[in-house]
Amino acid sequence: MTMHLQGSLFDQTDEVRLAPLDGLRRTRLGSGAWIDLLPGWLSGADALFERLASGVPWRAERRAMYERVVDVPRLLAFYGAPDPLPDPLLAEARDALSAHYADELGEPFTTAGLCHYRDGRDSVAWHGDRTGRGARRDTMVAILSVGAPRDLLLRPAGGGDTVRRPLGHGDLIVMGGSCQRTWEHCVPKSSRAAGPRISIQFRPHGVR
Ligand SMILES: O=C(O)CCC(=O)C(=O)O
């Protein structure tokens, strides 16, 4: 199953290229959590979207939820540290992030999780990436977004005001510090007609 992007509506550039990461801007959320944002990190993102949509072996999963087993409302793929990534541009992105954050993170980004939101009905519920080291230590999760714009929402884990960050075609967001422990994030369903979106999440070893 391949869902195509109406490319020319999103990105007018043919050259697929990552911008320098020194354009990242940090927002401190509180409790040691922060987000870095770089809109338009990737230009020419239509081509990457099409390659990933058609080339990644997407899995539809089902999960136990309370007393029922339900469809996970998005398609998934995961590449662990030893796995070759499905596109050379993803390796370039991972390596650029690892170099940029080397001092602050102290380890490289090694895994890539991919989510394919087929339309506005697909979503991810409130959560923190707390499986593994994200539960105990500060870490970083970097997300490159391609395709239809969707909102990423963040809120303090104990409750509080929600922060909304619209993620567009080629945008980068990095959640860092204590963000996975002290805050939660989600991509809510959208009642607006939303086209397909692919999110690529880079994480260090042992963070899920
Ligand atoms: O789609 C996104 O940008 C967020 C994905 C996410 O939070 C996750 O898969 O854990």
Side-chain angles (χ1 to χ4, degrees):
M1 171 190 14
T2 303
M3 276 149 286
H4 293 284
L5 191 66
Q6 285 179 283
S8 57
L9 295 180
F10 286 98
D11 197 328
Q12 305 291 325
T13 311
D14 285 339
E15 190 191 358
V16 183
R17 194 169 48 85
L18 294 168
L21 286 168
D22 51 16
L24 279 161
R25 291 289 168 267
R26 181 160 299 186
T27 304
R28 296 194 184 279
L29 299 173
S31 308
W34 53 258
I35 49 174
D36 280 354
L37 268 175
L38 181 54
W41 183 35
L42 177 67
S43 48
D46 291 356
L48 180 66
F49 180 95
E50 294 293 345
R51 296 201 297 257
L52 296 178
S54 59
V56 167
W58 297 104
R59 290 188 324 271
E61 290 190 354
R62 290 172 64 74
R63 280 188 195 156
M65 171 112 40
Y66 306 108
E67 318 241 296
R68 297 187 302 143
V69 177
V70 297
D71 290 332
V72 171
R74 58 197 178 282
L75 302 177
L76 299 164
F78 182 77
Y79 296 84
D83 304 327
L85 293 177
D87 193 280
L89 198 282
L90 299 195
E92 191 185 327
R94 177 201 59 202
D95 295 348
L97 288 162
S98 293
H100 182 81
Y101 287 107
D103 290 346
E104 195 174 6
L105 182 58
E107 59 182 334
F109 293 92
T110 56
T111 69
L114 275 66
C115 296
H116 191 160
Y117 300 79
R118 292 155 287 189
D119 58 31
R121 289 167 295 187
D122 277 350
S123 61
V124 66
W126 286 110
H127 69 285
D129 295 359
R130 293 183 201 140
T131 306
R133 282 187 295 169
R136 299 180 304 279
R137 289 177 39 182
D138 286 5
T139 190
M140 292 186 200
V141 177
I143 299 176
L144 170 62
S145 191
V146 292
R150 294 289 295 266
D151 286 342
L152 181 86
L153 308 186
L154 300 112
R155 69 180 183 194
D161 291 344
T162 297
V163 173
R164 178 181 301 267
R165 285 291 176 276
L167 296 181
H169 197 35
D171 292 355
L172 170 69
I173 187 167
V174 182
M175 296 179 277
S178 67
C179 202
Q180 302 307 326
R181 292 196 314 279
T182 61
W183 284 63
E184 298 176 315
H185 57 278
C186 75
V187 176
K189 295 184 192 305
S190 168
S191 55
R192 280 172 282 140
R197 164 180 182 258
I198 293 174
S199 141
I200 304 117
Q201 310 109 40
F202 297 103
R203 299 180 179 86
H205 175 70
V207 176
R208 280 300 275 277

